């Protein structure tokens, strides 16, 4: 890992934190609000790749662990790991890694722009939605003491917004790949 890799990871950690400045939107069905920070997780994976994207998220995890209020709504501290949103928060690292891993495998420089965009979108949906929900829904059902079905169907309220975030991540990933060829290779 080079200094440049660490700088890029820190930059995307800052982007994830900045997206937390947008206020969370409670949905009322379950105790997990809609936030913009999952977009930052998808962006980290798409733009930086698996390793650097996961490191960017781990930097945010460290900031939260030491008590800095960097999560949406000004949350931070070890209590975050015991709340109903902890599964989604812990899942961020895996989501960024899988999104980046799939982006590295699905998107190649010699592909057309549309093929690259579709590859980034698929990577964002699998990593940023499927993997993230796998962590979040299970933890939510356990901590909130609700049955898995209610946690699952309650979380489906996030899907339209997360698909929109995946589209944004795909567009940004394609733009970065086309506009900044000097950006270090993602693998």
């Amino acid at each position: 890992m080079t200094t440049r890799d660490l700088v890029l990871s820190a930059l995307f950690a800052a982007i994830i934190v900045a997206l937390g400045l947008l206020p969370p939107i409670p949905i009322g069905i379950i105790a997990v609000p809609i936030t913009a920070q999952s977009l930052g997780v998808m962006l980290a994976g798409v733009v930086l790749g698996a390793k650097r994207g996961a490191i960017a998220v781990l930097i945010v995890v460290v900031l939260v662990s030491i008590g800095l209020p960097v999560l949406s709504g000004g949350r931070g501290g070890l209590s975050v790991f015991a709340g109903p949103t902890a599964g989604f928060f812990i899942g961020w690292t895996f989501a960024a890694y899988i999104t980046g891993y799939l982006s590295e495998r699905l998107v190649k420089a010699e592909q057309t722009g549309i093929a690259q965009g579709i590859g980034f979108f698929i990577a964002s949906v699998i990593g940023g939605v499927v993997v993230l929900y796998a962590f979040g829904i299970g933890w939510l059902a356990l901590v909130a003491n609700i049955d898995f079905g209610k946690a699952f169907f309650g979380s489906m309220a996030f899907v339209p917004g997360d698909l929109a975030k995946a589209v944004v991540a795909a567009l940004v990933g394609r733009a970065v790949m086309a506009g900044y060829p000097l950006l270090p290779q993602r693998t």
Side-chain angles (χ1 to χ4, degrees):
M1 175 141 304
T2 66
T3 302
R4 187 176 192 177
D5 293 336
L6 290 175
V7 169
L8 289 170
S9 295
L11 173 66
F12 272 80
I15 290 171
I16 294 169
V17 169
L19 288 170
L21 295 174
L22 298 172
I25 302 169
I27 60 172
I29 302 170
I30 56 176
V32 179
I34 295 171
T35 72
Q37 289 183 301
S38 56
L39 172 60
V41 172
M42 291 180 195
L43 288 172
V46 163
V47 174
L48 299 180
K51 291 179 186 172
R52 291 181 292 193
I55 289 171
V57 174
L58 285 173
I59 291 170
V60 176
V61 170
V62 169
L63 295 175
V64 169
S65 299
I66 62 174
L68 296 178
V70 297
L71 293 178
S72 183
R75 296 175 302 124
L78 294 177
S79 64
V80 169
F81 294 95
T85 61
F88 289 98
F89 179 61
I90 292 168
W92 280 5
T93 305
F94 299 95
Y97 185 86
I98 296 299
T99 300
Y101 178 83
L102 291 175
S103 293
E104 292 167 359
R105 301 303 180 274
L106 297 175
V107 180
K108 303 294 179 201
E110 62 272 8
Q111 293 175 321
T112 65
I114 291 175
Q116 290 174 344
I118 291 170
F120 283 133
F121 178 76
I122 291 169
S124 296
V125 169
I126 293 173
V129 178
V130 176
V131 171
L132 186 61
Y133 284 33
F135 281 89
I137 292 171
W139 182 263
L140 175 65
L142 181 69
V143 171
N145 200 22
I146 58 177
D147 72 46
F148 184 81
K150 183 175 181 182
F152 178 82
F153 287 112
S155 296
M156 292 300 107
F158 300 120
V159 171
D162 285 341
L163 291 177
K165 293 173 192 173
V167 169
V168 172
L171 293 173
V172 170
R174 167 68 185 121
V176 169
M177 192 164 196
Y180 298 101
L182 295 178
L183 193 67
Q185 295 298 311
R186 288 175 286 126
T187 57

